[in-house]
């Protein structure tokens, strides 16, 4: 299998879908002629024409509203919000219309739309190009929220998302676009060509939504993460010298709670890591779910590692970003705690 970056894997997924489904189409800011700000849609307008891949005005609410109408009338639109920080103008359309359409119409209409957007920090994007808004979508009944951590999953999850008959928010960790990142910003970059999950099949395949991946088996603690934090946690586990089990959730709605429960009941300890701010973050929901289902198996308090409750600071990127040192310290606290 060829090695691909996450950008190439996502482009391949879109190419496969446009080539196989005449109802699929792509639009958003700069996605047509320009190929997207990160080049995820590069070459698709040239290959499929301006009716299948085209640019939109700078109007996130308009982009999503148009996609909802298209989906209700039988098309399968894939739209790009250029940065997840700018998705909020579309929030009303996503919450009040896309997420509710099947229910409000008693199943007469549905909304098979996929909303792609790069998210997260680690690129010195500052407060307006670094945020992680996944929790505000996970809270909305009717929306699915997917976050890949590697090229293989990115392609398979995106194809699965596009083929869903309900709306999916597909958040792409932009720090992982060109290679895995373990949080050590002062070390040489690594490419996906050097990683086994950089090998991506050319054709069609899917990774089912709601299926977590056990990235590393262990017996001393369970670490739950998604997106860039999967690689940060993997580095932290190695540096802490702890035999921890690492689970990549891959999607937070639907959530593979069975895999989480099985792991925590085995290890008796749990550390939850995400890049978004801690207060109100999805880690709080994960913590509650683990406590409700694994209370009598827990041997220590659940630990959470997250971004701080501040705007994302450009000048203090690596103080805000949950790096391997913070994760390793949480792991050690968790393992050394006495029940």
């Amino acid at each position: 299998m060829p090695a691909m970056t996450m950008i190439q894997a996502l482009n391949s997924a879109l190419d496969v879908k446009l080539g196989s489904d005449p109802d699929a189409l792509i639009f958003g800011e700069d996605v047509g002629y320009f190929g997207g700000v990160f080049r995820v849609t590069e070459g698709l307008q040239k290959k499929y024409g301006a009716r299948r891949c085209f640019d939109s005005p700078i109007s996130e609410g308009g982009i999503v509203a148009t996609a909802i109408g298209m989906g209700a009338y039988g098309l399968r639109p894939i739209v790009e919000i250029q940065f997840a920080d700018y998705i909020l103008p579309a929030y009303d359309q996503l919450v009040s219309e896309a997420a509710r359409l099947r229910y409000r119409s008693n199943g007469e209409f549905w909304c098979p739309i996929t909303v792609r957007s790069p998210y997260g920090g680690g690129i010195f994007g500052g407060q307006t190009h670094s945020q992680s808004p996944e929790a505000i979508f996970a809270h909305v009944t009717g929306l699915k929220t997917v976050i890949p951590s590697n090229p293989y999953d990115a392609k398979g999850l995106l194809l699965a998302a596009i083929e869903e008959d309900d709306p999916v928010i597909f958040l792409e960790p932009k720090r992982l676009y060109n290679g895995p990142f373990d949080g050590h910003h002062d070390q040489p970059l690594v490419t996906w060509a050097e990683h086994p999950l950089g090998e991506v099949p050319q054709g069609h395949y899917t990774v089912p939504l709601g299926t977590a991946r056990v990235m590393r088996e262990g017996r001393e603690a369970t670490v739950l993460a998604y997106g860039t934090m999967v690689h940060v946690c993997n580095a932290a586990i190695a540096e802490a010298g702890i035999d921890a089990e690492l689970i990549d959730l891959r999607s937070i709605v639907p959530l593979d709670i069975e895999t989480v429960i099985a792991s925590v009941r085995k290890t008796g300890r749990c550390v939850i890591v995400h890049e978004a701010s801690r207060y109100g973050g999805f880690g709080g929901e994960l913590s509650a779910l683990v406590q409700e289902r694994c209370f009598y198996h827990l041997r220590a308090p659940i630990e959470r590692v997250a971004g701080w409750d501040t705007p994302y600071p450009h000048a203090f990127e690596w103080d805000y970003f949950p790096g391997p040192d913070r994760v390793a310290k949480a792991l050690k606290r968790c393992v050394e705690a006495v029940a």
Side-chain angles (χ1 to χ4, degrees):
M1 288 186 291
M4 295 187 188
T5 65
M6 188 179 287
I7 291 172
Q8 292 167 331
L10 293 166
N11 181 275
S12 178
L14 296 171
D15 187 13
V16 166
K17 200 60 191 173
L18 289 182
S20 63
D21 186 350
D23 291 329
L25 71 157
I26 299 167
F27 62 99
E29 297 163 17
D30 297 323
V31 303
Y33 177 82
F34 192 58
V37 67
F38 291 103
R39 302 299 190 270
V40 172
T41 55
E42 187 171 27
L44 297 178
Q45 185 180 85
K46 183 176 181 180
K47 185 172 182 178
Y48 295 100
R51 291 177 63 86
R52 303 284 305 284
C53 181
F54 56 89
D55 296 325
S56 73
I58 303 175
S59 173
E60 289 79 9
I63 291 168
V64 172
T66 302
I68 293 168
M70 288 178 168
Y73 277 88
L75 297 176
R76 199 165 287 271
I78 308 144
V79 300
E80 177 182 306
I81 302 299
Q82 199 166 81
F83 288 89
D85 312 65
Y86 301 132
I87 204 168
L88 293 180
Y91 194 66
D92 177 51
Q93 288 294 323
L94 288 165
V95 174
S96 303
E97 307 299 336
R100 311 287 191 239
L101 186 58
R102 183 189 287 272
Y103 177 81
R104 287 172 60 189
S105 68
N106 195 29
E108 185 175 352
F109 296 99
W110 53 94
C111 192
I113 72 171
T114 303
V115 181
R116 294 181 39 252
S117 192
Y119 92 108
I123 66 163
F124 284 99
Q127 64 176 341
T128 57
H129 296 81
S130 304
Q131 297 174 81
S132 301
E134 65 272 13
I136 66 173
F137 297 110
H139 183 68
V140 179
T141 302
L143 294 180
K144 297 181 179 181
T145 305
V146 180
I147 307 170
S149 71
N150 58 77
Y152 180 88
D153 284 353
K155 180 175 178 178
L157 288 168
L158 182 54
L159 283 166
I162 296 168
E163 292 167 7
E164 281 282 321
D165 286 333
D166 291 302
V168 178
I169 308 299
F170 195 91
L171 296 174
E172 301 162 8
K174 53 184 174 287
R175 179 65 211 222
L176 301 183
Y177 269 155
N178 291 302
F181 178 62
D182 65 6
H184 289 296
H185 60 92
D186 54 349
Q187 294 184 7
L189 296 177
V190 178
T191 69
W192 282 115
E194 304 167 58
H195 195 286
L197 291 174
E199 295 183 358
V200 180
Q202 292 279 14
H204 181 279
Y205 69 92
T206 60
V207 173
L209 308 188
T211 57
R213 179 198 290 269
V214 178
M215 299 291 288
R216 182 192 188 281
E217 294 187 353
R219 303 203 63 84
E220 290 187 275
T222 296
V223 180
L224 306 179
Y226 49 85
T228 304
M229 291 298 107
V230 172
H231 304 277
V232 171
C233 291
N234 195 46
I237 290 167
E239 291 165 23
I242 291 171
D243 183 26
E245 186 153 289
L246 174 59
I247 297 177
D248 178 358
L249 297 177
R250 300 202 286 198
S251 66
I252 60 174
V253 181
L255 177 69
D256 184 358
I257 190 63
E258 290 79 13
T259 296
V260 172
I261 291 171
S263 179
V264 176
R265 287 182 176 177
K266 177 178 72 173
T267 67
R269 303 173 192 272
C270 184
V271 177
I272 298 165
V273 185
H274 59 64
E275 193 176 337
S277 298
R278 177 186 170 97
Y279 193 90
F282 190 69
E285 179 66 20
L286 285 172
S287 181
L289 290 168
V290 169
Q291 188 272 343
E292 290 165 0
R293 290 161 171 79
C294 305
F295 181 80
Y296 293 106
H297 293 81
L298 288 171
R299 300 167 59 194
I302 298 167
E303 289 276 350
R304 283 191 289 158
V305 183
W308 305 118
D309 296 325
T310 69
Y312 207 113
H314 183 274
F316 300 101
E317 176 100 16
W318 305 118
D319 295 305
Y320 181 97
F321 188 91
D325 183 58
R326 282 171 58 192
V327 177
K329 288 178 179 176
L331 262 173
K332 290 176 181 178
R333 285 195 303 269
C334 188
V335 170
E336 293 168 2
V338 178

